[in-house]
Amino acid sequence: MAALGARGSAAAPARLSRVARALWGWRARRGLGQDAGAADGSGFPASRVKGVRGPPAEGEAARPAFADEAVQTLLRRMTGLDLQKVFRPVKTELRPPKYKLMTEAQLEEATRKAIEEAKEKLIMPPVLNEREPIDDVLAEDKFLEGTETTKYVFTDLTYSIPHRERFIVVREPNGVLRKATWEERDRMIQIFFPKEGRRVIPPVVFKDEHLVTVFQQDRHEDILNMCIAQFEPDSPDYIRVHHRTYDDIEKHAKYDLLRSTRHFGGMVWYLVNRKKTDGLLTDMIHRDLLDDATSLITLYHMLHPECQSAKEAKERKLQGVDLIKVFVKTESQKEGYIQLALQAYEEAMATSTAS
């Protein structure tokens, strides 16, 4: 175990020794090692951490989870694979360009490798529920009250222990020994096990008042990449930043900013769960992405099987434009607008076929 003062590392060795002895004495009495199990001190099961959906409640229909293969297939299909966008230039130090002469076979092989690499870059980050707060008091040792003026954080530094299972406790100046909060855990783990791209104190750019400026500059993808590096996927800040970003994209119909990025699937999942698909559906029709539009509706029906269009689609085995028309008529809040977009698409297709 290692100890670090949360409000300053300078402390008298004698006093630190007293606190350490008190902590270890409590551990011998209560068996701390047995309490650092798979639930990582938060109280929720390990399956939730891995994004695995638990069994449905009695009488409740099973709903697909984000990690389900059927859902992932639909989201990948809608995300698209634009190699120009995936491998677009980033701002780096200027270097002379490199040119290569290739045969047709070499070019095909290079293209195949580029596609495989692009698929790796487009792997979607997990979508988890917000973690439950940690508020567990382990002991109240009144005889320690007043002996210290700062908190002491004790962290298990065993390298083989996963961070989720790492035991971290805090000794308060009033003698209370408690489990560290999620914020304290994240801070201590970053201090002892630094992760590239993550700071001990999150940058102010993640505050709501600064996100507005980021969105005005169309840097939605950049802020999401930074968010993934800075926060754990079930932390409140991670979820808040993602939801704010998705809401801004939906509000201003800037869906193409995330298309062919690893964030597009998460945005679609968010919008479908909240039945806010009219704007995205219209955007897909305008861009002649009818296959994506039908995939969007299919996902909607998977998450909301009780809706009228899901029932009609199942009974009549609807596909393509017919599926979209039924969905727009029964579920859309902007039926007239989407009908016009769909009519324009059909006229353009008829003209193209005639010529």
Side-chain angles (χ1 to χ4, degrees), residues 168-207:
I168 304 176
V169 296
V170 178
R171 175 69 77 176
E172 297 281 357
N174 62 2
V176 171
L177 183 68
R178 59 173 176 81
K179 292 182 181 179
T181 63
W182 283 113
E183 292 73 19
E184 291 166 338
R185 289 182 62 86
D186 292 343
R187 201 158 57 239
M188 299 307 296
I189 290 173
Q190 180 62 16
I191 289 174
F192 290 115
F193 305 94
K195 181 178 179 181
E196 185 179 358
R198 180 173 295 186
R199 300 184 186 178
V200 175
I201 300 177
V204 296
V205 71
F206 293 115
K207 294 184 179 296

Side-chain angles (χ1 to χ4, degrees), residues 68-346:
D68 288 356
E69 185 56 35
V71 172
Q72 289 288 305
T73 299
L74 290 172
L75 294 177
R76 283 194 296 266
R77 189 180 303 161
M78 287 183 276
T79 295
L81 183 62
D82 184 351
L83 295 180
Q84 295 295 329
K85 186 170 185 177
V86 174
F87 296 108
R88 65 188 181 281
V90 295
K91 292 183 179 180
T92 56
E93 162 185 8
L94 289 177
R95 295 178 182 176
K98 294 182 180 180
Y99 299 95
K100 293 183 180 180
L101 295 176
M102 295 183 175
T103 63
E104 287 293 332
Q106 290 174 330
L107 180 60
E108 290 179 3
E109 178 64 17
T111 302
R112 185 190 65 79
K113 290 182 178 179
I115 292 175
E116 292 300 319
E117 185 179 348
K119 289 180 179 179
E120 290 292 324
K121 289 179 177 290
L122 292 179
I123 294 177
M124 289 169 272
V127 175
L128 304 177
N129 294 326
E130 184 176 332
R131 57 197 183 191
E132 297 293 332
I134 301 176
D135 187 22
D136 294 342
V137 174
L138 304 177
E140 296 184 14
D141 298 316
K142 295 296 183 181
F143 65 92
L144 291 175
E145 185 173 0
T147 59
E148 297 294 336
T149 58
T150 61
K151 299 178 183 179
Y152 284 96
V153 181
F154 295 84
T155 304
D156 188 348
L157 298 184
T158 307
Y159 278 94
S160 59
I161 297 179
H163 291 327
R164 283 280 180 172
E165 300 176 14
R166 194 170 299 283
F167 200 75
I168 304 176
V169 296
V170 178
R171 175 69 77 176
E172 297 281 357
N174 62 2
V176 171
L177 183 68
R178 59 173 176 81
K179 292 182 181 179
T181 63
W182 283 113
E183 292 73 19
E184 291 166 338
R185 289 182 62 86
D186 292 343
R187 201 158 57 239
M188 299 307 296
I189 290 173
Q190 180 62 16
I191 289 174
F192 290 115
F193 305 94
K195 181 178 179 181
E196 185 179 358
R198 180 173 295 186
R199 300 184 186 178
V200 175
I201 300 177
V204 296
V205 71
F206 293 115
K207 294 184 179 296
D208 286 342
E209 58 268 26
H210 298 298
L211 287 177
V212 176
T213 303
V214 174
F215 297 155
Q216 290 174 346
Q217 299 172 356
D218 288 347
R219 297 185 59 191
H220 300 70
E221 182 184 1
D222 293 335
I223 197 65
L224 291 179
N225 287 333
M226 292 175 60
C227 182
I228 290 174
Q230 180 63 44
F231 302 113
E232 293 298 314
D234 59 353
S235 73
D237 285 324
Y238 180 101
I239 296 172
R240 173 183 57 83
V241 172
H242 275 73
H243 289 183
R244 295 284 190 280
T245 305
Y246 299 153
D247 287 336
D248 185 81
I249 287 178
E250 196 272 335
K251 179 180 178 180
H252 298 96
K254 295 181 178 180
Y255 308 102
D256 204 48
L257 290 175
L258 295 187
R259 190 172 272 111
S260 279
T261 73
R262 58 177 172 165
H263 310 292
F264 192 81
M267 179 191 69
V268 173
W269 178 261
Y270 173 80
L271 295 176
V272 171
N273 268 283
R274 285 155 182 76
K275 298 185 177 182
K276 299 168 66 175
T277 56
D278 285 351
L280 180 57
L281 180 61
T282 305
D283 180 80
M284 290 175 171
I285 296 173
H286 281 317
R287 296 178 185 276
D288 296 343
L289 300 173
L290 262 291
D291 289 340
D292 289 356
T294 55
S295 295
L296 177 66
I297 296 172
T298 301
L299 180 61
Y300 188 101
H301 290 167
M302 291 171 63
L303 293 179
H304 308 287
E306 74 288 347
C307 68
Q308 183 179 346
S309 64
K311 297 175 182 178
E312 288 193 31
K314 184 176 181 179
E315 292 173 359
R316 299 164 56 185
K317 298 181 180 181
L318 299 175
Q319 295 179 349
V321 175
D322 294 332
L323 176 65
I324 298 174
K325 287 181 177 179
V326 169
F327 177 82
V328 171
K329 184 178 180 180
T330 58
E331 306 297 331
S332 175
Q333 302 296 319
K334 301 178 180 178
E335 178 183 352
Y337 189 69
I338 301 179
Q339 288 283 12
L340 288 175
L342 196 57
Q343 182 180 346
Y345 169 81
E346 289 181 315

